[in-house]
Amino acid sequence: IRFLFTCKSWSDLINSSSFITTQLNMNVTKHLHVSLLCLHYPDLKRPFEFYENYEDYPDLKRELEWSLFSNETFEHCSKLNHPLGIKKDYRVYGSSNGLVCISDDKLDTKSPIHIWNPSVRKFRTLAMSTNVKFRYIALQFGLHPGVNDYKVVRMLRVHKDDSFAVEVYSLSTDSWKMVEEHPLWLKCTWQNHRGTFYNGVAYHIIEKFPLFSVMSFDSGSEKFEEFIAPDAIRCWSRLYIEVYKDQICLLYYLRLFHCEEEGMSQIEFWVLQEKRWKEMRPFLYPFNYYNVVGFSIDNELLMERSSYGNALYLCNYESKQVLET
């Protein structure tokens, strides 16, 4: 960032689209400048304290802060503060190519949404929606490579009749578009659970009791698809949806205390191939209670011992090796 203020010609070069594209392609190809964005205690060595309801402990929540950590060594790189200096709790709702989407920890239709580049300390506050009749289901962000545009997707429900709608924001046009038309299979009672965003498509686990499925919404074509989940899945709280080797995958704690290898636990593992779920060998991890965080850029499973703990593990699927922080 200091080179932006060296001279005008340098500033113009660094801000040019050709320079940004060149640097971005190099970083993506070589996996350079990759960081983990974490919420943690200021004292990184502080042991985790378990509480059933963090809403009852506002002083504890206020201590937590966001920081960047090395993707390889987990070393602390830098602390992040809200770009507007706001002390209110905020949350990260997606990141792509150095851009981060943040908003309130508890969302409502009046929650401001910011797209933020911490590296150059620039941000954009999105225009507020006028659709106050809706309530939030989910907020997601990422790049859609097919249209070369960054998208924000808000999934909404109407307060009165519980009907469903989607709003899509385009960074290139700085505008929102409402998508109210959706397929018949969504015109029923269903619950939304975990989700992920990949290549411009929002994926969500939905429950239409007693069945589970994955709903996808392409933020470019504005098309929906449904993929029925494997029969073994019965509980959403033990189910995660992630991206592994450029494929959408499901991770499920089917047997919490069963594993053929001593000292290890396992997670059932499926990948979405040609619109079908392919069952893979289970993912192994150290025997204990761990939560799935997601996959690293090197396709290693990142797990934590608890929601706000300081113990992170990288589990390699092929070698079954585990790296502890």
Side-chain angles (χ1 to χ4, degrees), residues 91-266:
R91 180 179 166 188
V92 174
Y93 289 92
S95 63
S96 181
N97 298 330
L99 298 181
V100 180
C101 179
I102 62 174
S103 188
D104 294 343
D105 186 36
K106 291 186 176 181
L107 289 171
D108 59 43
T109 53
K110 296 181 180 179
S111 296
I113 302 172
H114 311 283
I115 297 178
W116 176 32
N117 187 333
S119 298
V120 296
R121 300 173 189 172
K122 292 184 178 182
F123 69 95
R124 174 182 292 185
T125 302
L126 278 54
M128 297 295 291
S129 170
T130 59
N131 296 301
V132 294
K133 64 179 180 178
F134 291 102
R135 60 179 172 83
Y136 263 101
I137 297 179
L139 176 65
Q140 293 168 292
F141 165 79
L143 174 69
H144 195 307
V147 295
N148 194 29
D149 192 9
Y150 291 92
K151 301 283 190 176
V152 176
V153 175
R154 302 203 308 177
M155 295 193 172
L156 309 161
R157 280 273 174 86
V158 179
H159 280 291
K160 291 184 178 180
D161 59 7
D162 216 30
S163 60
F164 175 66
V166 177
E167 276 190 319
V168 180
Y169 172 84
S170 166
L171 184 63
S172 63
T173 62
D174 190 24
S175 62
W176 289 95
K177 181 180 179 180
M178 174 66 76
V179 182
E180 294 190 80
E181 292 295 324
H182 51 274
L184 289 175
W185 51 265
L186 277 175
K187 295 180 180 180
C188 62
T189 301
W190 54 273
Q191 289 182 305
N192 178 72
H193 298 301
R194 295 184 176 99
T196 191
F197 194 92
Y198 178 66
N199 275 352
V201 181
Y203 295 89
H204 282 270
I205 298 168
I206 64 173
E207 180 180 0
K208 296 186 285 187
F209 188 82
L211 301 176
F212 287 87
S213 63
V214 172
M215 170 186 67
S216 72
F217 172 76
D218 190 313
S219 61
S221 66
E222 300 175 1
K223 301 296 184 182
F224 292 89
E225 282 191 88
E226 182 181 28
F227 309 98
I228 304 300
D231 293 337
I233 295 172
R234 289 289 182 266
C235 177
W236 74 265
S237 64
R238 303 205 304 261
L239 178 62
Y240 295 82
I241 182 168
E242 301 291 343
V243 180
Y244 177 75
K245 291 189 175 181
D246 300 320
Q247 298 175 104
I248 296 298
C249 71
L250 294 175
L251 298 160
Y252 185 59
Y253 295 90
L254 180 60
R255 304 177 184 89
L256 293 178
F257 303 104
H258 172 76
C259 184
E260 294 179 356
E261 296 199 21
E262 184 178 356
M264 303 293 283
S265 296
Q266 69 182 48

